[in-house]
């Protein structure tokens, strides 16, 4: 045992290491704890005091109220290089023009209600 | 003026006023991929609807189904369950070419074009129509139109219920979905969709009798096939199986209609009896209306209906009703 202790001391003295690896690790951990504690203190002490004007609308939206339609990305479609449409099933029938007037009136009446 | 586009899983239908008449155009919303050699061979006979995307050649529309039968290929769909099919990237370009062929150039800049969108399904809460609506808005606006999305089933109310004070229950039976809307003078309204339609019937029938969807379609699209006399098409038991799945589908939609209505009962307390209007390609079969009435009667015997039914009737033009209603709406501004 004495031989081992002597060798350790000799090695430390030789490489100018005054502390054991265990002690060094302990110091490092302590230092890390201090840094983290300081960071949390800084974050907690700095809430948003005033919302900049350009973000006022954003801050009015509560969680779950984001307009889903605004969040959808619609990619541009690759247009067909060439297309031939010679057969399209086509038919013509009479048009009920009165149906448009009836719908106009119904829409106005529904608005009033 | 204005025009309209019914965006369906199985068919794309447009409507426009031409010389005081409604011109309705239809293209089947499907495609099949062919090699250049096959396409060259076929193009000699002429008259095929085809689309080329980069180096890939496709036959589109009604011919796609015929070609798929001949070449034993699978028919592909740009849409599934009433909305854009996320698994078909080229399908988006195909549907773009089909829409362009139906609508053409706008008559004047920013011409109004109302297009149909499905309601969100009640039997699949994870699905919604947001991406689908955005995709078709972009596509139609890109052609130079002022695009406006309108609920598919409500369009049937616009087309068919003018004489009923715009009150009624309209049901659009599509390939991918069934869309339901109830309206009382356009004030109180209910709309929802269910993720079952003609495609579901075809797949279930084919699986039940050990046949293919192509064979099922052949029976279903036979002008003599009648749901009330399905035994006459007993080959491979397809006829009776089709009848059974049609019954199951109708029962499913009536159950959901009553469920949804009951949830909103206080807002949907319609004082008068209202008509039920049946529409869509899946409803175009002979005997469909009679089967629907029977199923409603059977349901009402066991459970009280939360609404009074004046009559059950078919839309005057089951395939074009949505496009006509959309056109009426577009012209009512």
């Amino acid at each position: 045992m004495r031989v081992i202790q002597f060798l350790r001391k000799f090695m430390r003295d030789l490489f100018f290491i005054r502390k054991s690896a265990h002690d060094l690790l302990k110091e490092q951990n302590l230092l890390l704890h201090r840094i983290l504690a300081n960071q949390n203190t800084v974050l907690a002490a700095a809430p948003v005091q005033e919302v900049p004007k350009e973000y006022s609308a954003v801050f009015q939206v509560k969680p779950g109220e984001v307009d889903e339609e605004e969040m959808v990305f619609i990619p541009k479609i690759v247009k067909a290089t060439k297309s031939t449409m010679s057969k399209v099933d086509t038919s013509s029938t009479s048009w009920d023009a009165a149906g448009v007037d009836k719908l106009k009136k119904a829409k106005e009446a529904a608005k009033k209600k | 003026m204005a025009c309209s586009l019914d965006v369906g899983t199985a068919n794309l239908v447009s409507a426009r006023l031409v010389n005081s008449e409604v011109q309705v155009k239809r293209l089947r919303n499907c495609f099949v991929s062919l090699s250049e050699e096959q396409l060259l061979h076929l193009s000699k006979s002429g008259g095929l609807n085809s689309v080329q995307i980069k180096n890939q050649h496709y036959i589109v529309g009604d011919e796609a189904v015929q070609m798929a039968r001949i070449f034993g290929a699978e028919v592909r769909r740009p849409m599934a369950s009433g909305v854009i099919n996320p698994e078909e990237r080229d399908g988006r370009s195909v549907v773009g070419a089909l829409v362009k062929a139906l609508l053409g150039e706008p008559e004047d800049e920013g011409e109004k074009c109302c297009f149909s969108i499905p309601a969100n399904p009640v039997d699949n809460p994870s699905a919604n129509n947001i991406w689908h609506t955005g995709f078709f808005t972009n596509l139609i606006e890109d052609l130079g139109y002022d695009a406006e999305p309108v609920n598919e089933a409500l369009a049937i109310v616009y087309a068919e219920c003018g004489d009923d004070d715009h009150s009624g229950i309209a049901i659009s039976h599509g390939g991918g979905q069934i869309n339901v809307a109830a309206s009382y003078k356009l004030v109180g309204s209910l709309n929802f969709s269910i993720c079952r339609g003609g495609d579901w019937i075809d797949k279930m029938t084919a699986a039940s009798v050990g046949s293919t969807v192509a064979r099922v379609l052949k029976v279903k699209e036979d002008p003599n096939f009648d749901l009330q006399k399905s035994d006459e098409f007993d080959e491979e038991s397809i006829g009776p199986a089709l009848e059974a799945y049609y019954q199951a589908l109708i029962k499913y939609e009536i159950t959901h209609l009553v469920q949804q209505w009951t949830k909103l009962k206080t807002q949907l307390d319609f004082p008068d009896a209202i008509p039920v209007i049946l529409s869509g390609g899946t409803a175009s079969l002979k005997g469909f209306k009679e089967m629907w009435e029977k199923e409603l009667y059977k349901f009402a015997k066991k459970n009280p209906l939360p609404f009074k039914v004046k009559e059950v009737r078919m839309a005057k033009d089951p395939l074009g009703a949505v496009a006509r209603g959309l056109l009426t709406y577009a012209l009512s501004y």
Side-chain angles (χ1 to χ4, degrees), chain B residues 61-263:
Chain B
D62 288 298
E63 286 83 8
V65 181
Q66 291 162 17
M67 290 303 137
R69 276 181 202 151
I70 294 166
F71 293 112
E74 198 70 40
V75 176
R76 292 161 67 182
R77 290 281 187 83
M79 285 171 58
S81 299
V83 293
I84 280 288
N85 186 352
E87 287 164 19
E88 281 289 2
R89 276 177 174 248
D90 275 1
R92 296 174 207 163
S93 309
V94 169
V95 86
L98 293 172
V99 167
K100 195 179 174 187
L102 286 172
L103 294 179
E105 299 283 319
E107 280 179 0
D108 37 57
E109 207 185 313
E111 184 183 5
K112 189 104 189 151
C113 177
C114 288
F115 69 97
S116 66
I117 52 160
N120 287 332
V122 286
D123 52 351
N124 183 8
S126 61
N128 66 60
N129 61 20
I130 296 168
W131 197 88
H132 175 83
T133 307
F135 175 84
F136 279 98
T137 305
N138 279 6
L139 184 67
I140 295 166
E141 282 180 354
D142 209 31
L143 292 171
Y145 290 92
D146 172 17
E148 186 181 336
V150 177
N151 178 271
E152 179 182 326
L154 211 51
I156 299 169
V157 173
Y158 301 146
E160 300 282 333
C161 299
D163 294 333
D164 303 290
D165 276 344
H166 295 95
S167 301
I169 298 170
I171 310 178
S172 172
H173 299 80
Q177 273 189 334
I178 289 174
N179 271 270
V180 184
S183 160
Y184 185 71
K185 297 181 180 182
L186 300 183
V187 185
S189 73
L190 159 81
N191 57 65
F192 66 91
S193 71
I194 48 178
C195 287
R196 281 187 191 178
D199 293 345
W200 178 80
I201 289 176
D202 304 341
K203 278 180 199 162
M204 295 303 285
T205 305
S208 296
V209 300
S211 188
T212 61
V213 169
R215 277 172 183 265
V216 172
L217 280 173
K218 205 179 168 194
V219 173
K220 206 175 130 184
E221 289 173 4
D222 189 314
N224 295 317
F225 180 69
D226 188 333
L227 282 167
Q228 303 296 309
K229 297 169 193 163
S230 63
D231 288 344
E232 289 174 12
F233 285 78
D234 202 17
E235 195 188 336
E236 291 183 88
S237 304
I238 291 176
L242 270 171
E243 185 191 334
Y245 283 108
Y246 259 94
Q247 270 174 351
L249 182 79
I250 293 169
K251 202 175 164 186
Y252 187 71
E253 69 182 68
I254 293 173
T255 306
H256 275 287
L257 171 63
V258 172
Q259 262 182 22
Q260 296 304 311
W261 194 294
T262 313
K263 280 183 193 170

Side-chain angles (χ1 to χ4, degrees), chain A residues 41-91:
Chain A
T41 315
V42 170
L43 285 173
V48 180
Q49 294 294 331
E50 202 175 307
V51 178
K53 260 188 184 176
E54 60 268 36
Y55 293 112
S56 58
V58 176
F59 276 83
Q60 275 169 17
V61 177
K62 288 171 192 161
E65 281 186 0
V66 177
D67 188 355
E68 284 177 319
E69 283 184 44
E70 296 295 322
M71 293 166 65
V72 179
F73 168 69
I74 313 287
K76 277 251 169 205
I77 61 161
V78 178
K79 283 184 186 166
T81 321
K82 201 175 136 189
S83 70
T84 317
M85 300 283 173
S86 46
K87 278 187 183 174
V88 180
D89 185 7
T90 309
S91 61

Side-chain angles (χ1 to χ4, degrees), chain A residues 18-58:
Chain A
R18 297 284 168 226
K19 287 177 183 172
S20 69
H22 183 251
D23 287 343
L24 279 170
L25 262 173
K26 256 175 114 179
E27 271 183 28
Q28 204 178 1
N29 273 341
L30 205 65
L31 198 66
L32 262 170
H33 274 289
R34 274 183 199 158
I35 292 168
L36 283 170
N38 284 341
Q39 269 185 350
N40 285 339
T41 315
V42 170
L43 285 173
V48 180
Q49 294 294 331
E50 202 175 307
V51 178
K53 260 188 184 176
E54 60 268 36
Y55 293 112
S56 58
V58 176

Side-chain angles (χ1 to χ4, degrees), chain B residues 241-315:
Chain B
L242 270 171
E243 185 191 334
Y245 283 108
Y246 259 94
Q247 270 174 351
L249 182 79
I250 293 169
K251 202 175 164 186
Y252 187 71
E253 69 182 68
I254 293 173
T255 306
H256 275 287
L257 171 63
V258 172
Q259 262 182 22
Q260 296 304 311
W261 194 294
T262 313
K263 280 183 193 170
L264 293 170
K265 201 174 184 309
T266 49
Q267 294 162 49
L268 293 167
D269 199 9
F270 294 4
D272 309 316
I274 49 170
V276 177
I277 298 99
L278 308 174
S279 180
T282 302
S284 306
L285 266 70
K286 274 185 194 166
F288 181 83
K289 189 191 84 133
E290 291 74 15
M291 183 182 263
W292 211 95
E293 282 173 326
K294 268 186 203 169
E295 288 303 315
L296 183 71
Y297 178 71
K298 271 199 262 177
F299 188 93
K301 266 180 91 177
K302 289 180 191 166
N303 318 276
L305 293 176
F307 46 82
K308 285 170 254 170
V309 179
K310 190 163 106 185
E311 61 171 333
V312 176
R313 65 173 191 250
M314 289 298 297

